[in-house]
Amino acid sequence: MIRCTVIHNRTGPMAKHIRLESGVLVKNAAAGLYAGFARRHEIRNLNEFGDLVQALNQSECLTYGIPQAPYAKLTTKKRAGGGKIARTRDYFSWPEGPAIWMLDYDADRGALTPDQLHDTIIAAMPELANASMLWTASASSCIYLGDQELAGIRGQRLYIPVLCGLDIPMLGQLLTKRLWLAGHGRIDLSSDGKRLRRRLIDACVWQPDR
C-alpha cells in the first residue's frame, strides 16, 4: 500500500486563491495552518491516488510524508504537544515502504508541454522510462471565465510511486543534478546581487512535511 497524508485546515483554504482584478489574474497564497488535522491514507495504485487528488477540497492538501499516528490534530510549532503536532519534520517522516515522489514544474522555469516535460525527465533519468506516472496541472493553470481561457497550463505535477519513501531525497538530488548537467538550469541575479539557482524541477519540495 502507498501511504501519504491529507492535511485539513480549519482556519481557511489550503489552495491558492486566484481572482480577476481589472482584467488581470491576481494570486494569493494559501491561508496559514493554525488548526486542523492530518489523516494518513493508504492507496493501492496511481488510479486511486488520482481519485484522492480529485476529491480534495479547498481546505485540504497532501503531504507525501506521514505522521506517526494514523490521525493527529494539527497546531503551530510553538503550540505542539499534549496530543497535537505541527506540520514540521519533527512530526512527519518519509514512509519506509511505498510512497509518492512528486515532481513540481513551474512555467517560469521554461515553457514545456506535458509531453515535453515527460520526455525531458526521461532523457535525464532513463531509469524512469517504464515507471508509472500521473500528470496534473497546478492550481494556477487552466482558468476560465465562462468559455474564455484566462490561463493555460502553467505549473505541472508528475507523481511517481516509489518502493521506499526514504529514497525520495536521494532520487530528487540525483534528478536535479542530471537535469542541471543536461543544461536544464540557470543562475539569475537578485536585486542585491545574489546568485539564485533556477532549476527545471523545484528541489525544495522533497521534504516529508511539504
Side-chain angles (χ1 to χ4, degrees):
M1 300 295 286
I2 301 169
R3 290 187 292 171
C4 61
T5 305
V6 173
I7 302 292
H8 182 87
N9 187 7
R10 289 198 174 114
T11 60
M14 290 298 288
K16 295 182 179 71
H17 181 256
I18 300 171
R19 67 185 188 277
L20 189 62
E21 195 172 274
S22 301
V24 178
L25 289 176
V26 178
K27 180 170 63 176
N28 291 344
L33 180 61
Y34 304 108
F37 61 84
R39 188 188 303 276
R40 284 197 326 223
H41 278 259
E42 292 187 343
I43 50 177
R44 290 174 294 184
N45 50 51
L46 279 183
N47 288 329
E48 290 188 2
F49 178 74
D51 292 340
L52 176 61
V53 172
Q54 291 295 320
L56 296 175
N57 61 44
Q58 291 185 0
S59 297
E60 295 174 329
C61 69
L62 291 174
T63 65
Y64 307 102
I66 56 174
Q68 291 184 348
Y71 172 87
K73 293 182 179 180
L74 288 171
T75 185
T76 62
K77 185 176 181 178
K78 290 182 178 181
R79 295 178 178 176
K84 294 184 179 181
I85 67 172
R87 200 188 72 175
T88 67
R89 274 172 280 178
D90 294 329
Y91 300 97
F92 284 77
S93 59
W94 292 114
E96 295 184 6
I100 292 292
W101 180 25
M102 189 271 284
L103 307 186
D104 180 12
Y105 165 80
D106 286 330
D108 64 0
R109 301 184 178 97
L112 297 178
T113 67
D115 286 340
Q116 288 173 336
L117 175 61
H118 174 267
D119 292 345
T120 300
I121 297 298
I122 299 302
M125 188 174 279
E127 296 90 338
L128 294 175
N130 296 318
S132 300
M133 297 185 187
L134 175 69
W135 177 92
T136 66
S138 68
S140 57
S141 298
C142 307
I143 297 175
Y144 285 78
L145 179 63
D147 294 330
Q148 178 187 3
E149 183 185 77
L150 301 180
I153 295 175
R154 292 182 175 178
Q156 302 177 46
R157 309 286 180 266
L158 281 174
Y159 301 96
I160 307 171
V162 296
L163 288 175
C164 181
L166 297 174
D167 290 335
I168 288 176
M170 177 272 294
L171 291 169
Q173 185 180 46
L174 180 60
L175 177 60
T176 298
K177 289 182 177 180
R178 289 193 183 182
L179 286 169
W180 190 273
L181 289 172
H184 301 291
R186 69 181 192 272
I187 294 179
D188 292 344
L189 292 178
S190 66
S191 58
D192 59 356
K194 292 181 181 178
R195 295 179 180 181
L196 305 174
R197 287 191 177 189
R198 302 303 188 194
R199 304 173 176 90
L200 187 75
I201 300 295
D202 188 350
C204 297
V205 300
W206 298 313
Q207 301 171 34
D209 54 313
R210 292 290 293 272

